[in-house]
Amino acid sequence: MLQHPIRNRIWIGNEWSDAADGGTFATVNPATGETITEVSSAQAADIERAVAAARSAMTNDAWRNMNPHKRSRLLWKLADAIEAAADELAALETADNGKPYFESRKVDLPSVVENFRYFAGLADRIQGATIPVAGPFLNYTLREPVGVVGCITPWNFPLSLAAWKVAPALACGNAVILKPAEQTPLTALRLGELAAEVGFPAGVLNVVPGFGETAGAALVRHPGVDAIAFTGSTEVGRIVMREAAETLKKVSLELGGKSPNIVLADADVKAAVRGAATGIFYGKGEVCAAGSRVLVERPIYEEFVEAFADRAARTTVGDPMDESTRLGAIVTEEQLERVMGYVEAGKAEGARLVAGGERTTVNGKGNFLTATVFADVESKMKIAQEEIFGPVAAVLPVDDLEHAIATANDTVFGLAAGVWTRDIGKAHRVARELQAGTVWINTYNQYDSASPFGGYRQSGFGRDLGYEAALEKYTQVKSVWVAMDR
Ligand code: NAI
Ligand code: MG
């Protein structure tokens, strides 16, 4: 299915180029261990070129003064081009990341297309206000682009998370330098090329594959970059914020989580088990909002654990390209080792392993882990506190609603949360009490281009999606005063 020649060089100014020093890195298919291709590894000198191209796009009439209706149509055309290339992009995503083709093709790609269409609708609706001020003055505001936006994205949803940033940034008239994760750079590169094919001027969208410590860090430090939109680990988020301080860039961070999924005793237990399973096994659990802590009220605790373990046992790994596969390959060998470290920690700290926990292969190859459930987890344990980023659920018993809320809030994170109950009063009360940027009631892992997504506490700040968040992140406001009495 990967017919299109795979794009593996640096995309700057609507042209392919090699890294200044000619360096490359391998991107590997985690389901087979095979190298898909060698990709150019952008260095500081390449970031320099990308910034020059993006800055020139911001001063060039073709982009700076593009009629907003035309900007909107370009985004819509890009959505169409992505839709037309969806089979190819989904196959590329699955090869690079190891996620089931079912997820890439049926969930990620349609949502990316919808995301570009949603933000196409924003492009010609960005406006300021006239403000009643004291004195003989006309005061009005202009909402202008921030300028050059550096987007740094992770490997778990390579194209989707790129779209979450690139689509609103372009809608707001910025120029973008996208630095995809070194583990999964391929779909982002193709996105850059598609944008040129539909008519985005040179320099508007540049894609610079490379490592975080080189390409990413150079982007964050560069004085010609006005804002950084980052999704990734909390640890690197801290570095990005610190480094960006030097040039006082506008920073938004979408970081890790340890999201609680609360199951109250009056819940529809079957639905809750299903929701808990998709909450942690969807995307191999390599999901920032994964429902990695399942808090279950005692009256239904044993029943729930048994049904959840049973469901996990039936969530089997398979070849990601097989359309029936629902649990794919862990993104890299290194990530699998990290996750296995947590499985060992769970056992060592005395949690009860009730499903999975085994490294495995498919057709004798690849980095796979069986769907894993630990029961009798205590909130202080490592597997209840740290982001694992793998298909590993920690189930904790809770005594009552108060205990559930206290336990749910007992981490440094605050990205998302779920609650399962038939009591609407309790549901809304829990939604208010949880420290989380998203709360799902009787569902989990729902996203929409129109609904803002982002963190409380150490899960970061700034929101992706939704038009208000986009305006906040990718525009700046200028106040203009006009004297009317002279
Ligand atoms: P990471 O945070 O290192 O990578 C995310 C992005 O940041 C990548 O594009 C990377 O190249 C870039 N980056 C890394 N260091 C940088 C630096 N000094 N300056 C600028 N950019 C830099 O994530 P990693 O190491 O791949 O994954 C480790 C753990 O992080 C995972 O196990 C998971 O717990 C968490 N994580 C969370 C994500 C989320 O969506 N919230 C996404 C990816 C990882
Ligand atoms: Mg890293």
Side-chain angles (χ1 to χ4, degrees):
M1 237 182 284
L2 297 172
Q3 288 124 352
H4 198 279
I6 293 173
R7 298 314 193 185
N8 56 9
R9 297 165 75 202
I10 298 171
W11 180 252
I12 293 175
N14 284 1
E15 283 174 8
W16 296 112
S17 55
D18 294 324
D21 65 356
T24 63
F25 62 93
T27 189
V28 173
N29 180 334
T32 62
E34 286 152 18
T35 294
I36 306 166
T37 184
E38 286 283 331
V39 180
S40 299
S41 183
Q43 306 293 317
D46 303 300
I47 298 302
E48 200 63 53
R49 285 193 297 127
V51 173
R55 290 239 72 92
S56 102
M58 286 311 293
T59 49
N60 181 347
D61 255 8
W63 182 241
R64 179 185 156 82
N65 288 327
M66 182 181 279
N67 161 352
H69 306 306
K70 182 167 178 204
R71 201 164 75 227
S72 170
R73 278 198 305 279
L74 275 185
L75 282 158
W76 192 275
K77 278 195 197 166
L78 181 51
D80 288 346
I82 295 166
E83 194 166 48
D87 289 348
E88 174 209 336
L89 285 164
L92 207 50
E93 196 82 308
T94 286
D96 224 3
N97 167 283
K99 66 171 66 193
Y101 183 73
F102 167 79
E103 293 182 9
S104 305
R105 184 65 188 84
K106 295 289 176 0
V107 184
D108 292 13
L109 260 298
S111 84
V112 167
V113 171
E114 187 215 64
N115 191 59
F116 274 96
R117 293 205 174 120
Y118 175 81
F119 285 110
L122 178 66
D124 54 2
R125 286 160 177 76
I126 298 168
Q127 58 195 31
T130 51
I131 299 171
V133 291
F137 300 103
L138 166 65
N139 178 250
Y140 66 92
T141 56
L142 295 171
R143 257 194 193 274
E144 300 185 330
V146 173
V148 174
V149 179
C151 301
I152 300 178
T153 50
W155 43 259
N156 53 343
F157 290 84
L159 189 60
S160 304
L161 294 178
W164 283 20
K165 302 189 190 310
V166 170
L170 296 181
C172 294
N174 298 280
V176 170
I177 301 171
L178 169 61
K179 207 300 281 172
E182 55 271 31
Q183 297 84 355
T184 56
L186 299 178
T187 48
L189 289 168
R190 186 77 176 103
L191 177 70
E193 185 178 43
L194 287 174
E197 281 171 18
V198 303
F200 279 91
V204 172
L205 175 57
N206 309 280
V207 187
V208 289
F211 288 88
E213 296 74 7
T214 50
L219 194 58
V220 174
R221 289 198 197 112
H222 202 293
V225 175
D226 301 290
I228 292 287
F230 175 86
T231 298
S233 61
T234 296
E235 180 197 352
V236 174
R238 251 178 229 120
I239 297 172
V240 166
M241 194 166 166
R242 201 178 300 132
E243 293 287 320
E246 204 54 50
T247 45
L248 292 172
K249 285 182 177 56
K250 190 167 177 177
V251 173
S252 59
L253 303 173
E254 202 261 272
L255 308 175
K258 191 71 193 177
S259 299
N261 205 351
I262 301 173
V263 186
L264 297 178
D266 68 358
D268 174 342
V269 176
K270 259 195 182 155
V273 168
R274 258 198 323 270
T278 56
I280 187 63
F281 302 135
Y282 185 83
K284 310 161 264 170
E286 294 167 350
V287 179
C288 45
S292 50
R293 291 183 299 143
V294 186
L295 316 184
V296 185
E297 233 182 337
R298 288 205 191 269
I300 57 161
Y301 181 73
E302 286 306 331
E303 174 196 356
F304 181 93
V305 167
E306 196 175 312
F308 189 28
D310 182 58
R311 195 165 176 103
R314 286 184 287 113
T315 308
T316 50
V317 297
D319 174 357
M321 282 308 291
D322 179 338
E323 293 198 31
S324 66
T325 295
R326 294 293 178 271
L327 191 57
I330 303 298
V331 69
T332 57
E333 170 78 31
E334 183 194 3
Q335 182 65 13
L336 179 53
E337 276 162 19
R338 277 192 76 227
V339 176
M340 289 311 296
Y342 283 107
V343 171
E344 291 314 314
K347 291 180 189 165
E349 286 186 293
R352 174 162 59 108
L353 182 66
V354 293
E358 280 153 35
R359 236 196 117 132
T360 180
T361 55
V362 170
N363 304 322
K365 294 181 284 197
N367 317 321
F368 293 86
L369 170 62
T370 52
T372 303
V373 178
F374 279 103
D376 306 349
V377 175
E378 289 165 25
S379 193
K380 64 178 191 326
M381 290 180 185
K382 216 169 145 166
I383 58 167
Q385 290 295 326
E386 296 180 20
E387 183 172 51
I388 298 176
F389 234 57
V392 180
V395 188
L396 292 76
V398 289
D399 301 332
D400 54 27
L401 189 62
E402 303 310 319
H403 188 209
I405 292 167
T407 308
N409 287 334
D410 181 29
T411 72
V412 297
F413 297 110
L415 194 55
V419 57
W420 299 80
T421 175
R422 288 187 170 103
D423 181 324
I424 59 163
K426 277 187 184 174
H428 292 288
R429 190 173 145 218
V430 173
R432 282 199 186 191
E433 304 262 351
L434 293 178
Q435 293 292 313
T438 295
V439 177
W440 289 297
I441 298 171
N442 293 330
T443 184
Y444 207 88
N445 267 342
Q446 300 298 330
Y447 304 88
D448 192 288
S449 301
S451 182
F453 180 82
Y456 276 33
R457 304 200 288 192
Q458 292 188 30
S459 292
F461 50 81
R463 294 289 177 269
D464 283 315
L465 310 180
Y467 74 91
E468 287 167 317
L471 293 175
E472 166 68 29
K473 227 161 124 168
Y474 300 111
T475 68
Q476 52 192 342
V477 175
K478 181 180 283 171
S479 172
V480 182
W481 292 78
V482 186
M484 296 193 296
D485 60 346
R486 57 199 80 156

